[in-house]
Amino acid sequence: MFAYNLVVVDIPEGITSIGEGSFIYCRSLKEVKFPKSLTFIGGGSFEDCSSLERVDLLHTKVQYLGDSAFSCCRSLREMKVPDSLQKFGVNLFWGCFKLVPSDVDVDWGHDVSAVVAYFRSIQ
Protein backbone atom coordinates (compact mmCIF):
# COMPACT_ATOMS: atom_id res chain seq x y z
CA MET A 1 0.00 0.00 0.00
CA PHE A 2 1.34 3.41 -0.95
CA ALA A 3 1.49 6.28 1.53
CA TYR A 4 -0.97 8.75 0.04
CA ASN A 5 -0.50 11.10 3.00
CA LEU A 6 3.07 12.08 2.09
CA VAL A 7 3.75 15.79 2.58
CA VAL A 8 7.46 16.08 1.73
CA VAL A 9 9.58 13.78 -0.42
CA ASP A 10 13.37 14.01 -0.61
CA ILE A 11 14.57 11.92 -3.55
CA PRO A 12 18.17 10.84 -2.88
CA GLU A 13 21.16 11.81 -5.00
CA GLY A 14 22.08 9.15 -7.55
CA ILE A 15 18.48 8.55 -8.64
CA THR A 16 18.25 9.28 -12.37
CA SER A 17 14.58 8.57 -13.06
CA ILE A 18 11.19 8.65 -11.41
CA GLY A 19 8.96 5.87 -12.71
CA GLU A 20 5.48 6.20 -14.13
CA GLY A 21 2.81 6.89 -11.53
CA SER A 22 5.29 6.95 -8.66
CA PHE A 23 3.46 9.60 -6.62
CA ILE A 24 0.09 9.64 -8.37
CA TYR A 25 -2.82 10.74 -6.14
CA CYS A 26 -0.56 11.91 -3.30
CA ARG A 27 -2.92 14.80 -2.68
CA SER A 28 -1.15 15.91 0.53
CA LEU A 29 2.25 16.23 -1.18
CA LYS A 30 3.47 19.83 -0.91
CA GLU A 31 7.19 19.61 -1.55
CA VAL A 32 9.54 17.42 -3.58
CA LYS A 33 13.31 17.76 -3.39
CA PHE A 34 14.85 16.48 -6.61
CA PRO A 35 18.46 15.25 -6.92
CA LYS A 36 20.98 16.78 -9.30
CA SER A 37 21.33 13.38 -10.97
CA LEU A 38 17.69 13.28 -12.17
CA THR A 39 17.24 13.05 -15.97
CA PHE A 40 13.75 11.58 -16.45
CA ILE A 41 10.30 11.94 -14.88
CA GLY A 42 7.88 9.28 -16.09
CA GLY A 43 4.27 9.65 -17.14
CA GLY A 44 1.77 10.40 -14.39
CA SER A 45 4.53 10.57 -11.78
CA PHE A 46 2.94 13.46 -9.89
CA GLU A 47 -0.52 13.36 -11.44
CA ASP A 48 -3.26 14.69 -9.16
CA CYS A 49 -0.85 15.84 -6.45
CA SER A 50 -3.28 18.67 -5.83
CA SER A 51 -1.37 20.27 -2.93
CA LEU A 52 1.92 20.58 -4.84
CA GLU A 53 2.63 24.30 -5.34
CA ARG A 54 6.19 24.49 -6.65
CA VAL A 55 8.50 22.27 -8.70
CA ASP A 56 12.16 23.23 -8.96
CA LEU A 57 14.10 21.15 -11.47
CA LEU A 58 16.58 23.91 -12.25
CA HIS A 59 19.55 22.17 -10.61
CA THR A 60 18.75 18.77 -12.19
CA LYS A 61 19.71 17.26 -15.54
CA VAL A 62 16.12 16.49 -16.55
CA GLN A 63 15.78 15.93 -20.27
CA TYR A 64 12.26 14.50 -20.47
CA LEU A 65 8.97 14.93 -18.60
CA GLY A 66 6.48 12.14 -19.36
CA ASP A 67 2.82 12.28 -20.38
CA SER A 68 0.61 13.80 -17.69
CA ALA A 69 3.56 13.92 -15.26
CA PHE A 70 2.07 16.94 -13.47
CA SER A 71 -1.53 16.93 -14.73
CA CYS A 72 -4.25 17.92 -12.26
CA CYS A 73 -1.77 19.55 -9.89
CA ARG A 74 -4.36 22.24 -9.19
CA SER A 75 -2.19 24.22 -6.73
CA LEU A 76 0.94 24.23 -8.92
CA ARG A 77 2.01 27.86 -9.39
CA GLU A 78 5.72 27.67 -10.11
CA MET A 79 7.82 25.43 -12.35
CA LYS A 80 11.55 25.85 -12.82
CA VAL A 81 13.13 23.87 -15.64
CA PRO A 82 16.79 23.30 -16.52
CA ASP A 83 18.46 24.01 -19.86
CA SER A 84 18.76 20.25 -20.30
CA LEU A 85 14.97 19.85 -20.81
CA GLN A 86 14.45 18.79 -24.41
CA LYS A 87 11.09 17.10 -24.62
CA PHE A 88 7.86 16.46 -22.76
CA GLY A 89 4.82 14.29 -23.22
CA VAL A 90 1.19 15.11 -23.87
CA ASN A 91 -1.07 16.62 -21.22
CA LEU A 92 1.93 17.43 -19.06
CA PHE A 93 0.20 20.31 -17.26
CA TRP A 94 -3.43 19.56 -18.03
CA GLY A 95 -5.58 21.05 -15.27
CA CYS A 96 -2.74 23.19 -13.84
CA PHE A 97 -4.67 26.42 -14.23
CA LYS A 98 -2.56 28.41 -11.77
CA LEU A 99 0.64 27.60 -13.64
CA VAL A 100 0.18 27.95 -17.37
CA PRO A 101 -1.30 30.98 -19.10
CA SER A 102 -4.02 30.22 -21.61
CA ASP A 103 -1.88 31.37 -24.55
CA VAL A 104 0.73 28.65 -23.96
CA ASP A 105 -0.45 25.37 -25.48
CA VAL A 106 0.89 22.57 -23.31
CA ASP A 107 -2.05 20.19 -23.26
CA TRP A 108 -0.93 18.27 -26.30
CA GLY A 109 2.78 19.07 -26.26
CA HIS A 110 2.67 20.69 -29.68
CA ASP A 111 5.10 23.51 -29.07
CA VAL A 112 7.77 22.28 -26.68
CA SER A 113 10.12 25.18 -27.41
CA ALA A 114 7.47 27.79 -26.56
CA VAL A 115 6.65 26.13 -23.25
CA VAL A 116 10.29 25.70 -22.27
CA ALA A 117 10.97 29.33 -23.24
CA TYR A 118 8.01 30.43 -21.15
CA PHE A 119 9.22 28.63 -18.03
CA ARG A 120 12.77 29.91 -18.49
CA SER A 121 11.48 33.49 -18.88
CA ILE A 122 9.79 33.47 -15.46
CA GLN A 123 12.76 32.08 -13.51
Side-chain angles (χ1 to χ4, degrees):
M1 179 178 221
F2 194 81
Y4 292 110
N5 58 351
L6 289 172
V7 176
V8 176
V9 172
D10 189 352
I11 300 169
E13 191 58 48
I15 299 294
T16 58
S17 65
I18 298 173
E20 292 188 16
S22 295
F23 299 96
I24 193 169
Y25 305 127
C26 288
R27 294 183 178 126
S28 299
L29 187 60
K30 291 186 177 221
E31 181 180 356
V32 181
K33 297 174 185 175
F34 297 96
K36 293 176 185 175
S37 55
L38 190 67
T39 60
F40 176 87
I41 296 178
S45 295
F46 296 95
E47 185 175 343
D48 207 6
C49 291
S50 55
S51 296
L52 190 61
E53 294 180 4
R54 291 175 183 79
V55 173
D56 185 354
L57 298 169
L58 201 54
H59 62 283
T60 71
K61 298 174 184 171
V62 166
Q63 298 173 8
Y64 180 74
L65 301 173
D67 296 348
S68 303
F70 294 96
S71 68
C72 296
C73 290
R74 292 168 193 85
S75 297
L76 191 60
R77 300 173 189 271
E78 183 179 336
M79 181 81 177
K80 294 183 178 182
V81 298
D83 289 338
S84 58
L85 181 63
Q86 299 172 10
K87 184 178 175 185
F88 58 80
V90 297
N91 296 324
L92 178 63
F93 298 113
W94 185 87
C96 297
F97 305 112
K98 294 180 180 179
L99 176 67
V100 183
S102 60
D103 62 335
V104 177
D105 178 15
V106 297
D107 287 340
W108 296 102
H110 289 154
D111 193 354
V112 174
S113 60
V115 175
V116 171
Y118 168 73
F119 285 125
R120 287 191 181 132
S121 73
I122 59 172
Q123 296 178 38

